[in-house]
Amino acid sequence: QVQVTESGGGSVQSGGSLRLSCAVSEYTYRRYCMGWFRQAPGKEREGVAGIDSDGQISYADSVKGRFTISHDNDKNTLYLQMDSLKPEDTAMYHCAFLTTYGSGDAYFPPLGCNALNAWGQGTQVTVSS
């Protein structure tokens, strides 16, 4: 069973940067996605960024141009570089490992992954104005 563990959250002022990391345990899937979600109190969960096993990337419109997702294959670690942070980016950020099963909606369109296999406990990001 795949396990993911986030780190790197914290508090920054508006305009600042943070880098989140997600350690991913060993897996045998040939096709998969890894991604970041966030959820703020009283708001729906939002898929922030995803990357698939072919290296294709998808971003939510709210973070395009500011956030960068990457995966270090040697370290098996997923990253989210967050620049130009805004107060509305304040949320709990969760790392996830995903695959494709059946015909459900994808979490990071146009990436095809629609099944959550692993979900991290989350790391808090707080951006003050």
Side-chain angles (χ1 to χ4, degrees), residues 5-7 10 38 60 69 72 82 85 87 99 104 108 115-116 126 129:
T5 306
E6 308 94 337
S7 61
R38 67 185 180 186
I69 189 171
D72 186 322
M82 304 184 295
L85 282 162
T99 55
F108 300 105
L116 281 168
T126 302
S129 57

Side-chain angles (χ1 to χ4, degrees), residues 18-24 27 32-36 48-52 55-59 67-82 95-96:
L18 281 173
R19 189 176 81 157
L20 305 183
S21 299
C22 174
V24 184
Y27 51 88
Y32 56 85
C33 298
M34 298 180 189
W36 293 95
V48 174
I51 184 169
D52 71 10
Q56 296 185 86
I57 290 173
S58 174
Y59 293 104
F67 289 13
T68 303
I69 189 171
S70 61
H71 179 232
D72 186 322
N73 289 317
D74 291 336
K75 296 181 179 179
N76 209 12
T77 300
L78 182 70
Y79 300 100
L80 185 67
Q81 177 66 41
M82 304 184 295
C95 173

Side-chain angles (χ1 to χ4, degrees), residues 35-38 44-51 57-69 80 86 89 93 107-111:
W36 293 95
F37 293 83
R38 67 185 180 186
E44 291 188 357
R45 182 180 65 188
E46 178 185 20
V48 174
I51 184 169
I57 290 173
S58 174
Y59 293 104
D61 288 342
S62 58
V63 305
K64 280 181 181 176
R66 300 189 298 121
F67 289 13
T68 303
I69 189 171
L80 185 67
K86 305 175 181 180
D89 294 318
Y93 284 71
Y107 284 98
F108 300 105
L111 308 184

